Amino acid sequence: MKTRHLFFSTSLVLSLATIGCSKDNDPVDDTADTEADTDTDTDSDTDTDTDTDSDTDTDTEGDAGGTIEEALLIEIDDENYLLAEESIGFAGDRDFFELNASLGTAYEFSSLSYYYTNPDVVCDTVIRVYDEAGEMIATNDDMPYRFQETDSAISFQATYDGSYYIEVLEWSDWDEETAANGGSSMTYDLFGWTITPGEVEPNDDDEDVADTITDDTIWENWYGSPFTDTASMFYGQMDDEGDVDFWPLVFSEDFDGAFCQFSLWPETFSGWAPEMTLFNEALEPVSQTIDPTIYPTWNFAWNAGITYQVTAGETYYLSMVDQDDLYGPGTFYAGVHTCYNATLSQLEEEGNDEIQFANMLEMTESTATAGFFYTRANGTLVDGDEADNLWIRALDVGGSLNGKFLNVEINAETQGSLLDANVTVYADPGSGEWEELAMTYDHPNNESIDPHIIDLELTQAYAGLVIQIAADDTSAIDAANYWHASVSLSDEAVAE
């Protein structure tokens, strides 16, 4: 289940239709895709346990306890991943399972309901993990990328020999703004297994990579996800002080120009400070993040740690380090990698450094919301670029801009780019002189490290708008100065 290799020559590139990014699955409205039923958890550390246990349990009669004190003992073995068959029997029902864990062992649990009832989901599960003191250390609502829509899964590493507690509850009970639900039809299966970090050691620097990573071993430790065929996973650990893990990548022709994302499963790295970097063939950093989590917000292509447009045939290296030089149990991580096709976003064309030579954006009207026009674009500030300019014509968004609300979301550093971007909006009043309407370096609510313009109300019948992306700071490597933009115009403000 966890040793199936996934080669990039297979059909891994995703289309928007296969991502399952929200319950309505309409990728039209960027503002409508952030729903409550997604991951929101901030929890600290992993703590451990022993993996030598007494009774295995297939819980077909609903005997999981409703508290930590009443938790049902479960045991993981290599032949039976199914640990329990349960239900959220009544509103507010919570099921607790006790795991006797071993120091340094990494565990993965999933509670599957959607998987069996698709598309008529009855039980929307949430998983939480507690240490032996009853402190919550991890939570997962929906899996990253909604791999199994509303089903949940979580990974953690034991940092002591002893008990951990796995709680399964229903989303409506977990969400503070929703009344708890339950009933005998809200069934789910709890699965669990152990994971072994799989890097090829030594892999700490370019000499190690050159000596130990060959064509024969390059894919040896990239695995198919146990939850989906549209992503691959990788498992590692900071083994020693100053450890660096290099993961090599080569993409086939099928992926030329694809947008590939690299991130960590939420909360598999509590207690240490991971830094994820993508290097090109010359071992130059082209993307880097200290926030590699996958967040539930859909913007360009999910808010993951790194999003990078790859070139077929070139060798890339993904590296993991800990900024605090921690190592050993507790520094385990589960990585996730997936790709989107190159047509997901309109690519800028060079020669657009000045307003009068701006690229025209292709706007699309939402099929769900009349008067809502949107597009996505991407580009790179290459050496000598003063800016990249994008043009929207009034003719392409209903004929008039008067009374419309403009939203511009720039994703650069949030997607691993080394570009410190700013954005300016200019309007064409028809006089030949461009008028500056707004300019920002930041997000107005500090919810992003990239600049956003939210609900800019247009009060004149402008002939068009230009969105200008520039930089406060750039990397010396052109390929690292990339940006993604989500742009919308609507008849009503969308931030409320």
Side-chain angles (χ1 to χ4, degrees):
M1 188 172 187
K2 268 127 331 277
T3 56
R4 179 168 53 89
H5 295 240
L6 186 65
F7 292 81
F8 285 102
S9 56
T10 62
S11 179
L12 181 65
V13 175
L14 301 182
S15 67
L16 285 173
T18 63
I19 296 170
C21 56
S22 69
K23 282 200 170 68
D24 62 9
N25 270 345
D26 188 350
V28 187
D29 240 283
D30 288 359
T31 57
D33 276 316
T34 57
E35 53 186 59
D37 186 15
T38 42
D39 249 314
T40 58
D41 196 67
T42 57
D43 271 307
S44 46
D45 254 310
T46 50
D47 285 294
T48 47
D49 276 284
T50 12
D51 196 46
T52 58
D53 250 302
S54 37
D55 55 276
T56 43
D57 210 279
T58 301
D59 179 29
T60 56
E61 300 184 11
D63 27 12
T67 65
I68 284 179
E69 293 73 23
E70 302 168 329
L72 178 69
L73 188 64
I74 54 175
E75 181 182 349
I76 294 174
D77 63 53
D78 293 334
E79 297 181 1
N80 182 26
Y81 297 130
L82 177 60
L83 305 177
E85 296 172 283
E86 269 286 357
S87 68
I88 305 299
F90 54 88
D93 184 20
R94 298 179 179 185
D95 295 337
F96 284 84
F97 306 88
E98 181 180 1
L99 172 71
N100 231 352
S102 300
L103 171 65
T105 301
Y107 299 91
E108 199 159 68
F109 290 92
S110 63
S111 53
L112 302 184
S113 181
Y114 170 87
Y115 180 82
Y116 297 108
T117 60
N118 177 20
D120 301 317
V121 181
V122 177
C123 186
D124 182 350
T125 60
V126 175
I127 295 181
R128 299 197 284 209
V129 179
Y130 301 81
D131 64 18
E132 61 185 354
E135 180 183 351
M136 189 188 305
I137 60 171
T139 301
N140 180 258
D141 172 17
D142 303 324
M143 298 181 202
Y145 299 107
R146 299 289 289 267
F147 282 151
Q148 288 294 343
E149 282 297 339
T150 57
D151 287 343
S152 309
I154 205 158
S155 300
F156 73 96
Q157 186 180 36
T159 58
Y160 57 82
D161 290 332
S163 293
Y164 283 86
Y165 299 94
I166 315 303
E167 179 192 22
V168 180
L169 66 161
E170 217 274 332
W171 173 80
S172 60
D173 186 20
W174 174 71
D175 182 63
E176 295 179 354
E177 299 180 1
T178 308
N181 199 358
S184 58
S185 63
M186 286 195 171
T187 59
Y188 67 89
D189 286 353
L190 179 68
F191 289 83
W193 53 86
T194 58
I195 303 167
T196 302
E199 331 121 52
V200 179
E201 291 283 1
N203 61 346
D204 293 354
D205 55 35
D206 55 333
E207 291 183 5
D208 287 341
V209 170
D211 292 341
T212 64
I213 306 299
T214 67
D215 290 342
D216 294 333
T217 65
I218 200 163
W219 293 113
E220 188 171 311
N221 293 29
W222 290 81
Y223 302 102
S225 168
F227 309 108
T228 180
D229 289 330
T230 58
S232 60
M233 295 183 68
F234 53 101
Y235 304 101
Q237 177 178 288
M238 299 294 101
D239 297 304
D240 303 295
E241 186 174 1
D243 187 22
V244 180
D245 293 342
F246 267 80
W247 298 88
L249 299 135
V250 178
F251 295 87
S252 70
E253 288 297 329
D254 293 340
F255 296 89
D256 192 37
F259 294 99
C260 291
Q261 292 199 303
F262 308 90
S263 37
L264 297 186
W265 202 278
E267 297 196 36
T268 62
F269 54 90
S270 50
W272 61 291
E275 180 180 84
M276 177 185 284
T277 306
L278 185 69
F279 295 89
N280 62 16
E281 210 156 39
L283 285 171
E284 300 170 319
V286 293
S287 190
Q288 186 175 76
T289 182
I290 57 173
D291 186 16
T293 299
I294 306 165
Y295 292 101
T297 305
W298 167 275
N299 41 52
F300 165 69
W302 290 92
N303 189 350
I306 285 175
T307 303
Y308 191 79
Q309 192 168 22
V310 301
T311 302
E314 183 171 343
T315 300
Y316 297 90
Y317 301 98
L318 188 71
S319 83
M320 292 294 307
V321 300
D322 179 37
Q323 300 169 79
D324 297 336
D325 280 338
L326 298 178
Y327 60 94
T331 60
F332 163 82
Y333 57 88
V336 183
H337 162 241
T338 191
C339 290
Y340 301 82
N341 60 47
T343 60
L344 180 69
S345 178
Q346 180 180 337
L347 178 65
E348 57 131 357
E349 297 180 9
E350 276 308 325
N352 63 349
D353 294 6
E354 300 178 26
I355 290 179
Q356 59 268 37
F357 300 118
N359 300 151
M360 185 182 297
L361 286 175
E362 299 170 5
M363 304 295 291
T364 302
E365 186 171 11
S366 167
T367 56
T369 307
F372 183 93
F373 295 85
Y374 69 97
T375 193
R376 295 185 177 94
N378 70 95
T380 304
L381 286 178
V382 296
D383 185 35
D385 262 6
E386 293 184 10
D388 289 333
N389 289 280
L390 311 172
W391 180 32
I392 300 173
R393 298 190 309 175
L395 290 173
D396 296 331
V397 289
S400 176
L401 293 169
N402 191 16
K404 288 193 176 292
F405 292 86
L406 173 70
N407 282 270
V408 181
E409 176 181 339
I410 302 299
N411 293 289
E413 292 179 274
T414 48
Q415 299 282 9
S417 172
L418 303 184
L419 174 71
D420 184 6
N422 60 64
V423 62
T424 307
V425 177
Y426 296 93
D428 177 7
S431 63
E433 295 291 329
W434 288 90
E435 175 186 340
E436 182 178 317
L437 299 183
M439 190 273 181
T440 185
Y441 296 87
D442 305 302
H443 187 288
N445 304 322
N446 296 316
E447 294 175 6
S448 172
I449 55 176
D450 286 318
H452 290 204
I453 291 174
I454 299 176
D455 287 335
L456 175 64
E457 187 173 6
L458 307 177
T459 57
Q460 295 185 41
Y462 299 114
L465 301 173
V466 163
I467 297 165
Q468 183 180 89
I469 297 111
D472 301 327
D473 192 20
T474 59
S475 166
I477 304 160
D478 280 350
N481 297 316
Y482 58 90
W483 52 264
H484 307 296
S486 295
V487 181
S488 68
L489 280 158
S490 56
D491 294 333
E492 298 179 2
V494 298
E496 297 301 323

